[in-house]
Amino acid sequence: MAASLAARTGRFLGTDPKLLGFGITAAFASSFGQTYFIALSGGAIRDTFDLGHGDFGAVYSTATLASAGALIWTGKLIDRIDLRLWTSAIILALAAACALMSQVESVALLLVTLFMLRHFGQGLLSHTGATSLARYFTTGRGRAIGMAGAGYPLGEALFPLAAVALMAAVGWREMWLIAAGAMLVGFLPAQLALLGGHGARQRDYVARLAREEEAERAAAATRPSGMRGPHWTRAEVLRDPRFHLVMPAMLAPSFIITGIFFHQVHIVEVKGWSLAWYSAAFVAYAAATVPAGLIYGVVIDRIGAARALPYFLPGMVIACIVLATGDHPLTVWIFMIFGGANAGMTQTLGSALWAEVYGVRHLGAIRALTTACMVFSTAASPFILGALIDAGLDIETILLLCAGYAAIGVGLSIAGRGRYAPRA
């Protein structure tokens, strides 16, 4: 069985290895705009600008909310702009944001810098990789997204340790300047090289859509009046009750993990752990994310993303309960394992589900909407959790509340499975 799976995976990797590499690199490079990376210098930023947990959370949430609002409009441009030009512009903007962070001298400029990091890193670069894979892979879409999702845990495994070491050696501002250089010298040339020959891929995609359009016109003649075709517009998705049923569950991991990672320094202090020990545990997060995403991708390819909905959130319930109730240093490693497994499954599910249910013609616009919703959730959690901390609520209670939200999400995902795949 294992040998057969390995053989099938090997054959699949040969279908479009450059595009897979592009997706992995996009996820990896988005690390500079992810909460876990920004929060590593959160303590230094709070000290520099004399901000409390809630104050910094409010600034961060405001920047992230603005990023989410802009993403609804900027994210859909990937449907119209050449992927090579689009990717270059995003990477250059993210590099500029990293450089600006090294020079920020006021809270107002900090707000602008955080907006840029969140918008071009967490928002658009993640959106670009996932949308491209979902669009161009017609068979094995789940596996492709699952494999490319390995870029996120790779960043989570390498960057926290590197960032902590650099901050200790040269300072937090200099660490951000080095990050800007890495974007320009490393990631930009790599992404352009991996997009070599993309013109032929785009022509194949346009030809496939033309064939589908022709088949759709023929089918429309016999379809009952009012029934939609296979490619939904964003407006049609917003009118679909199933979408609103499933979205709270889909947003639970981003809300919970962002809040925990943003306030990781506080959690470390309360638990009596060292930040270096906590950062090292991201290796476990990465080790769990990759296989979970790959296995879930195979499951999605076999039974469909809609029918796989109920399986992605239970791990988050367990992760929150473990972190809430444990104080032993190994607790953080157990949390990272369950949290990482949930992350791998969530990253794979989102893009595959929307492409499966709503089609790929308007996928950029649809994913811009769902990614913006995700970014909104990541904007809310640092502020909400920070306010609760400042109000005196202990971190254990906050984590149990997060577990409760995830449990509600499990119920919603089960209901969503019944609506999206009623014959499952």
Side-chain angles (χ1 to χ4, degrees):
M1 177 67 178
S4 175
L5 179 60
R8 290 198 300 272
T9 301
R11 290 193 297 271
F12 173 73
L13 285 170
T15 57
D16 198 340
K18 281 190 173 182
L19 185 60
L20 280 171
F22 172 80
I24 292 171
T25 308
F28 185 54
S30 75
S31 295
F32 298 122
Q34 300 286 356
T35 295
Y36 77 87
F37 186 84
I38 297 171
L40 288 169
S41 50
I45 292 172
R46 289 201 316 271
D47 291 342
T48 300
F49 297 103
D50 193 24
L51 299 171
H53 291 286
D55 296 330
F56 185 37
V59 173
Y60 191 81
S61 294
T62 301
T64 305
L65 281 171
S67 168
L71 189 62
I72 295 174
W73 308 107
T74 58
K76 66 181 181 180
L77 296 176
I78 193 175
D79 291 334
R80 301 196 294 270
I81 298 176
D82 183 277
L83 187 57
R84 292 158 290 195
L85 177 61
W86 171 259
T87 302
S88 299
I90 292 171
I91 292 177
L92 289 172
L94 184 55
C98 292
L100 193 58
M101 180 60 94
S102 72
Q103 304 298 318
V104 64
E105 294 291 350
S106 68
V107 174
L109 188 56
L110 175 65
L111 179 65
V112 173
T113 305
L114 289 173
F115 164 80
M116 293 176 65
L117 288 171
R118 301 293 279 159
H119 188 65
F120 295 107
Q122 182 215 23
L124 286 178
L125 201 51
S126 298
H127 171 64
T128 296
T131 300
S132 300
L133 293 172
R135 170 171 286 152
Y136 295 112
F137 275 94
T138 53
T139 58
R141 179 181 287 132
R143 277 174 290 172
I145 297 169
M147 290 177 184
Y152 294 109
L154 183 61
E156 289 153 356
L158 297 179
F159 285 129
L161 290 172
V164 170
L166 284 171
M167 285 191 294
V170 298
W172 71 273
R173 292 184 183 275
E174 290 74 13
M175 181 271 290
W176 280 104
L177 196 59
I178 292 171
M183 291 297 301
L184 295 175
V185 176
F187 290 113
L188 179 58
Q191 288 295 76
L192 291 178
L194 290 167
L195 285 176
H198 177 69
R201 183 187 298 114
Q202 178 67 13
R203 287 191 293 272
D204 290 342
Y205 164 71
V206 172
R208 171 164 58 87
L209 283 185
R211 292 193 298 269
E212 290 179 358
E213 266 190 356
E214 185 175 348
E216 171 59 19
R217 282 194 296 269
T222 59
R223 184 185 299 129
S225 177
M227 183 176 291
R228 293 179 177 86
H231 298 284
W232 294 48
T233 66
R234 187 162 70 182
E236 289 171 336
V237 170
L238 282 170
R239 292 193 294 269
D240 183 10
R242 301 172 302 175
F243 175 79
H244 298 285
L245 174 67
V246 169
M247 276 306 292
M250 298 293 290
L251 297 177
S254 57
F255 178 91
I256 294 169
I257 286 294
T258 298
I260 292 173
F261 284 175
F262 185 83
H263 295 289
Q264 58 194 349
V265 174
H266 176 68
I267 293 173
V268 165
E269 292 171 351
V270 170
K271 296 289 186 179
W273 304 326
S274 71
L275 186 59
W277 172 260
Y278 181 91
S279 299
F282 275 102
V283 173
Y285 190 92
T289 301
V290 176
L294 290 174
I295 293 169
Y296 198 46
V298 172
V299 171
I300 286 172
D301 286 340
R302 288 187 176 180
I303 69 173
R307 291 174 180 167
L309 260 172
Y311 309 125
F312 84 106
L313 262 180
M316 181 55 66
V317 179
I318 297 172
C320 291
I321 292 174
V322 166
L323 192 59
T325 57
D327 290 322
H328 192 279
L330 288 177
T331 299
V332 67
W333 290 74
I334 299 172
F335 162 76
M336 289 292 189
I337 289 170
F338 280 102
N342 171 258
M345 297 170 78
T346 303
Q347 290 157 8
T348 303
L349 175 65
S351 297
L353 179 65
W354 310 133
E356 174 185 302
V357 175
Y358 299 122
V360 298
R361 177 178 294 280
H362 307 288
L363 185 60
I366 294 168
R367 283 206 78 260
L369 169 66
T370 60
T371 303
C373 290
M374 180 271 291
V375 176
F376 271 120
S377 75
T378 65
S381 58
F383 172 72
I384 292 173
L385 269 63
L388 291 175
I389 292 170
D390 286 345
L393 200 66
D394 61 82
I395 196 65
E396 289 79 10
T397 301
I398 294 172
L399 291 169
L400 289 176
L401 289 173
C402 290
Y405 175 28
I408 293 171
V410 172
L412 291 174
S413 64
I414 292 172
R417 168 184 169 141
R419 297 290 184 88
Y420 275 131
R423 293 185 298 276

